[in-house]
């Protein structure tokens, strides 16, 4: 077993000085949760588990034999015998292909001796010596905590005793892997389906999360990546980490006919600048000088670990197009008798799946410089009155210089101010612009005593009144000037208060300042820009909702905004908007956000901004936007093996024609792109399929680089093996991104219908092709798609696609979020994580004594049936975090969480955004868990929003996040499964009618199925 690197540990909240986190209230004996908060002791919620590892987090279940004895009735009469286990009946394909030719997924080998990839000798040499790994015994490394997964620990009753392997399926009898045997849910004495037995997303997250606390993910040994919402440390062995690239199928059928039988998308989710976890090796940066990195002369693929060297090292064969290339003299190295370059261990590009190359001048669009950040600040009436201007200026200052700007010299022994810690890389510069009806530029040169303001009143013909040398300055050389400016801006405009901002002319002026170099704009807005060229007006009308013309509200038709977005991408400029909508007024996110979406930026939207509650969130998100890894002037190209071709891209970018590269003004660590593939021939089942993403960009410190992400998958003749290597998170992400892309083309009703039909297509395709021996009335789900139905239901209930009334700003914002979301962010958006604070085990929220890892309690299912009277619950969907408090919550619990001054719900501040720092056991548990959650999110900061039952409007948001329940016009999880099962049955007997029935709706999302779906 190879443990995680010692540098990796979960973040924990700061503790009060002198407070011992290991004990509650300083007492030697920690009482149970029920004893701490008084009241009649109640049995703890079964899903929470205890401190004994052998019990696990899951409730005890009956054996499969006992479960089959109940009478079927109620829901079960509609669903038949609901076999929610695996697939099982389909026997494994006979061993008719040469397993040793595969670079990947050699299932018959132990973990430590995975077969080497193409180009590494296959004869008497031991393949494991060519992998960057240490052998990991199956019995230790691939089981959770060294114990076997029993039927009581599993989601569904199944054969006990088989070890859990995150990379594949348990082996039967030590031979060729078989599809796991199907199983059914337990049936209660009343004859109803036990909701506890239907697939559970919290369980599917908790078990792998526990496993990857103590184990690395070896990219060439394990066949399936961890779930998107699970933290892990990847060990790059030539195949890129799933943090950078996730394939929907890690075993690909050789023909389009075999893929079509599964109805699954063949796609790749790319997050090329994804952040690394502490303890992971940094991405190496390689410089090949003036010649640049070696590339295939035919298809232009960059050198990677899967290229084969021949003729003694004089030629390398491209793994994409199989073209033999001459090796340049400066790159030549001889090969040993087995065909491996003798310098392979010293060549990161031949060992690692993700590397970066410095590129010569022929790759430059303009001379690279450090990233220019231009802060464009709304100083209009609404921004001043609502406190948004003060909060935004304070957020900028905190992002640049930290939370404290005074008293820094107290920590310096000689009395002088110490060198400030840099939040921006060397070479980066910042500039400042404010706007209302006019545009104001500021000279913050370090040679000045105070900042100078220059006004540009002519917004009809905007120009740049200040040279870029005065506008852009080093933020640390000009720290005193910039700090003074950010303090003075709210005071300066407090008496002016122009109500109508002129945003588009301001953006055009900012673009003029950045055209020569490229850069990034950080722009605030708090009122609809109704002044000057590009003025906007109220477009949203309830009469337009639910009809065919509603889709026009999700896009812009304004030529001026489109032209500005195009020019920004051409100049290598991107925009992040911070938009506050006090009172939820219309802001035309469709038009304004079009600029950030096209340029690769992001829109941070505060639909009901309150300065007291949201200032902390705003400051944290400004800091995150500024400090996350960001590149600009970016181009992306995806290449794939012969037999495959790129069919479509999904995300926020510009692509001028189908075969052109993707263009980004800026790209950052949180952005992901979906790539769909189709067949243009047939794949060779004796070879692997390869994919390479090349991102050409300029780093924030001014270096022009190419980041190469290489992914490999095995190929099989049929789809039986492919069903064992499905990445559910990648499948859901690709379906969601395509559906979001269709929002501007189809009605919401058609999209919802298409998502439902797509789910039925996938499950019915599996049922027909791979589990035909089961009774027709049995619902059989693929082993690695058990939670697909719940994720689809979450997609139908999200703000972008939900039925019922929803402001177009919220729909458009969520649509663009989905298009650029990573697998982590989307997983949380579709199904939130929930924990009960009132019943936390005493050890939860503290580091384990043996490993130092934070002990995280099991998550609850998102259903009100799991909510207990008097409970307190944390709910997080990656965008907002709600603390919901029942009306009868214990006063002792409130005092432990918020302090002795708050014994009742009415005494709590409804605008509270963080827990106070107290020395109580529960308070420290909650703060530690929130700090842990904050490290597992996308771009949105984690701050609390209080929802007191019967008192706060946030309770409606809490109810919306309970996605397993019926809400609005959407079904509950159980009812949804009943409908899906009915559709599958109708498909099996050939009587299925497409949802909607009409000619238009029946084929509403034909494009969803056409693009390789």
């Amino acid at each position: 077993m190879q443990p995680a690197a010692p540098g990796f540990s979960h973040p924990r909240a700061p503790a009060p000085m002198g407070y011992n986190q290991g004990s509650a209230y300083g007492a030697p004996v920690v009482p149970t949760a029920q004893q701490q908060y008084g009241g009649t002791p109640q049995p703890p919620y079964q899903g929470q588990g205890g401190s004994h590892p052998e019990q696990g987090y899951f409730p005890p279940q009956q054996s499969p034999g006992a479960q089959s004895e109940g009478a079927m009735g109620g829901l079960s009469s509609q669903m038949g015998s609901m076999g929610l286990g695996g697939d099982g009946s389909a026997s494994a394909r006979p061993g008719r292909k040469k397993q040793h030719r595969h670079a990947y997924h050699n299932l018959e080998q132990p973990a430590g001796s995975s077969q080497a990839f193409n180009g590494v000798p296959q004869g008497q040499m031991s393949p494991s010596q060519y992998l960057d790994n240490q052998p990991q015994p199956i019995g230790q490394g691939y089981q959770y905590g060294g114990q076997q997964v029993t039927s009581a620990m599993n989601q569904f009753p199944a054969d006990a005793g088989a070890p859990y392997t995150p990379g594949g399926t348990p082996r039967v009898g030590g031979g060729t892997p078989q599809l796991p045997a199907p199983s059914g849910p337990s049936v209660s004495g009343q004859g109803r389906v036990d909701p506890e037995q239907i697939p559970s997303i919290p369980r599917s997250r908790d078990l792998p999360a526990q496993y990857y606390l103590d184990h690395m993910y070896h990219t060439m040994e394990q066949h399936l990546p961890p779930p998107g919402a699970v933290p892990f440390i990847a060990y790059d062995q030539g195949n890129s980490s799933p943090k950078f690239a996730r394939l929907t199928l890690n075993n690909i059928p050789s023909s389009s006919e075999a893929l079509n039988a599964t109805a699954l998308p063949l796609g790749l989710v790319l997050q090329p600048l994804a952040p690394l976890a502490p303890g992971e090796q940094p991405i190496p940066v390689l410089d090949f000088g003036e010649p640049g990195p070696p590339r295939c002369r035919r298809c232009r693929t960059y050198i990677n670990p899967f290229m084969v060297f021949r003729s003694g090292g004089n030629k390398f064969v491209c793994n994409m197009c199989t073209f033999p290339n001459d090796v340049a003299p400066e790159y030549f190295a001889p090969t040993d008798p087995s065909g491996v370059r003798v310098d392979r261990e010293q060549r990161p590009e031949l060992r690692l799946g993700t590397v970066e190359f410095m590129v010569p001048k022929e790759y430059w669009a303009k001379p690279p410089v450090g990233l220019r950040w231009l802060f464009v600040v709304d100083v209009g009436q609404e921004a001043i009155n609502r406190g948004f201007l003060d909060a935004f200026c304070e957020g900028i200052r905190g992002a640049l210089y930290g939370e404290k700007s005074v008293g820094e010299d107290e920590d310096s022994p000689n009395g002088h101010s110490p060198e400030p810690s840099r939040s921006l890389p060397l070479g980066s510069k910042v500039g400042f612009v404010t706007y209302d009806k006019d545009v104001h530029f500021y000279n913050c040169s370090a040679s000045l005593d105070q900042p100078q303001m220059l006004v540009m009143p002519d917004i009809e013909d905007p120009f740049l009144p200040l040279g870029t040398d005065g506008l852009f300055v080093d933020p640390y050389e000009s720290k005193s000037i910039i700090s003074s400016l950010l303090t003075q801006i709210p005071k300066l405009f407090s008496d002016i208060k122009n109500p109508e901002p002129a945003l588009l002319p301001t953006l055009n002026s900012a673009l003029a300042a950045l055209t020569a170099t490229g850069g990034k704009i950080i722009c605030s807005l708090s009122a609809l820009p109704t002044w000057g060229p590009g003025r906007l007006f109220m477009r949203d009308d309830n009469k337009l909702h639910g009809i065919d013309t509603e889709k026009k509200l999700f896009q812009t038709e304004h030529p001026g905004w489109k032209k500005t977005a195009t020019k920004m991408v051409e100049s290598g400029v991107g925009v992040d908007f911070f938009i506050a909508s006090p009172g939820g007024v219309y802001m035309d996110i469709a038009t304004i956000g079009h600029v950030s979406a096209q340029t690769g930026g992001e829109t941070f939207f505060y639909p009901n901004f309150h300065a007291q509650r949201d200032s902390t969130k705003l400051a944290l998100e400004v800091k995150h936007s500024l400090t996350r890894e960001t590149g600009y002037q970016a181009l992306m190209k995806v290449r794939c093996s012969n037999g495959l071709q790129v069919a479509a891209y999904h995300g926020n970018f510009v692509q001028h024609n189908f075969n052109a590269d993707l263009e980004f003004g800026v790209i950052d660590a949180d952005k992901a792109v979906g790539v769909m593939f189709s067949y243009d021939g047939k794949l060779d089942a004796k070879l692997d399929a390869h994919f390479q993403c090349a991102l050409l960009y300029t780093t924030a410190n001014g270096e022009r680089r190419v980041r190469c992400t290489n992914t490999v998958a095995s190929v099989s003749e049929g789809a039986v093996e492919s069903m064992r290597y499905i990445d559910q998170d990648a499948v859901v992400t690709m379906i969601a991104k395509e559906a979001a892309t269709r929002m501007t083309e189809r009605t919401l009703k058609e999209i919802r219908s298409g998502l439902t039909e797509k789910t039925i297509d996938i499950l019915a395709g599996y049922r027909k092709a791979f589990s035909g021996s089961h009774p027709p009335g049995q619902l059989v789900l693929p082993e690695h798609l058990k939670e697909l139905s719940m994720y689809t239901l979450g997609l139908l209930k999200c703000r972008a696609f939900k039925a019922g009334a929803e402001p177009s700003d919220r729909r458009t914002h969520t649509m663009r979020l989905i298009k650029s979301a990573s697998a982590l962010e989307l997983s949380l958006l579709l199904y939130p994580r929930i924990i009960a604070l009132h019943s936390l085990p005493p050890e939860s929220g503290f580091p384990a004594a043996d490993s130092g890892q934070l002990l995280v309690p099991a998550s609850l299912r998102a259903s009100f049936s799991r909510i207990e009277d008097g409970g307190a619950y944390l709910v997080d969907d990656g965008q907002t975090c709600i603390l919901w408090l029942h009306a009868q919550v214990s006063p002792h619990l409130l005092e432990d969480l918020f302090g002795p001054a708050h014994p009742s719900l009415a005494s709590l501040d409804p605008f509270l955004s963080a827990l106070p720092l107290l020395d109580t056991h529960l308070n420290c548990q909650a703060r530690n868990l929130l700090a842990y959650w904050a490290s597992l999110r996308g771009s949105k900061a984690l701050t609390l929003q209080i929802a007191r039952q019967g008192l706060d409007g946030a309770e409606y948001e809490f109810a919306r996040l309970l996605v397993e329940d019926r809400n609005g016009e959407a079904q509950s999880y159980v009812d949804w499964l009943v409908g899906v099962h009915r559709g599958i049955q109708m498909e099996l007997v050939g009587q299925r009618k497409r949802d909607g029935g009409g000619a238009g709706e029946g084929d509403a999302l034909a494009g969803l199925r056409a693009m390789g779906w």
Side-chain angles (χ1 to χ4, degrees), residues 10 57 210 213 843-849 851 853-857 929:
H10 290 309
Y57 283 135
Q210 192 66 31
L213 285 177
E843 68 275 5
S844 290
F846 294 109
S851 66
Q853 301 285 3
L854 196 73
L855 295 174
V856 182
L929 292 171

Side-chain angles (χ1 to χ4, degrees), residues 23-24 26-31:
S23 61
V29 179
V30 180

Side-chain angles (χ1 to χ4, degrees), residues 111-177:
S113 58
S114 174
Q115 290 290 347
F117 44 72
N118 294 339
V120 174
Q122 316 253 335
Q124 291 93 15
M125 305 299 293
S126 172
S128 59
Q129 64 179 296
Y130 300 106
L131 298 176
D132 299 324
N133 71 302
Q134 294 180 7
Q136 189 176 44
I138 288 286
Q140 300 175 10
Y142 278 7
Q143 297 182 20
Y144 285 141
Q147 57 181 327
Q148 294 179 341
V149 177
T150 66
S151 59
M153 296 171 64
N154 202 356
Q155 291 186 36
F156 313 101
D159 294 335
Y164 177 86
T165 59
T169 51
R171 290 184 291 161
V172 180
T176 303

Side-chain angles (χ1 to χ4, degrees), residues 192-267:
R192 295 186 178 275
V193 173
D194 184 0
E196 191 66 38
Q197 300 305 310
I198 60 179
S200 167
I201 290 179
R203 290 176 180 173
S204 71
R205 293 172 177 170
D206 290 342
L207 197 60
Q210 192 66 31
Y211 174 85
Y212 283 108
L213 285 177
D214 303 313
H215 300 84
M216 285 187 176
Y217 175 82
H218 293 76
T219 62
M220 285 292 288
E221 296 176 17
Q222 291 164 264
H223 318 313
L224 278 177
V230 169
F232 65 96
I233 291 182
Y235 189 67
D236 191 340
Q237 297 175 306
N239 189 32
S240 286
S241 164
K243 295 178 180 179
F244 301 112
R246 300 179 78 108
L247 274 169
T248 57
L249 297 172
N250 291 282
N251 180 290
I252 301 174
S254 61
S255 65
S256 59
E257 292 79 13
L259 179 66
N260 292 338
T262 68
L264 288 165
L266 176 55

Side-chain angles (χ1 to χ4, degrees), residues 86-89 169-170 178-182 724 766 783:
D87 23 355
S89 67
T169 51
Q178 307 288 326
L179 292 173
R724 287 196 288 265
Y766 174 80
E783 177 67 21

Side-chain angles (χ1 to χ4, degrees), residues 509-591:
S509 298
L511 173 60
L514 292 167
T515 298
T517 60
K520 187 164 186 177
I521 299 170
I522 306 291
C523 179
S524 69
L525 178 68
S526 57
L528 189 67
T530 55
W531 186 263
R535 64 179 66 88
L536 303 177
F537 56 91
M538 176 70 178
R539 291 198 299 153
D540 198 2
D541 189 341
N542 289 334
K543 297 178 181 178
L544 298 177
H545 293 182
I547 61 176
D548 186 64
T549 54
E550 183 180 14
K551 57 180 176 286
K552 293 183 179 179
L553 298 176
F554 310 142
Q555 55 189 319
T556 182
E557 297 178 353
H558 197 293
W561 289 84
K562 289 184 175 181
K563 183 178 179 181
T564 297
T566 302
K567 286 184 176 179
M568 283 186 173
V569 176
E570 293 173 353
S571 302
V573 177
V575 187
D576 277 358
F577 282 112
F578 291 81
I579 301 179
S581 173
V585 298
Y586 177 69
M587 297 294 291
D588 201 352
I589 298 293
T591 297

Side-chain angles (χ1 to χ4, degrees), residues 374 430-433 441-444 464 466-473 513:
L374 187 57
V430 299
F432 295 88
V433 174
F441 292 80
Y442 297 87
N443 186 344
C444 295
L464 189 63
L466 178 65
T468 56
D469 291 340
L471 179 61
F472 292 104
V473 298

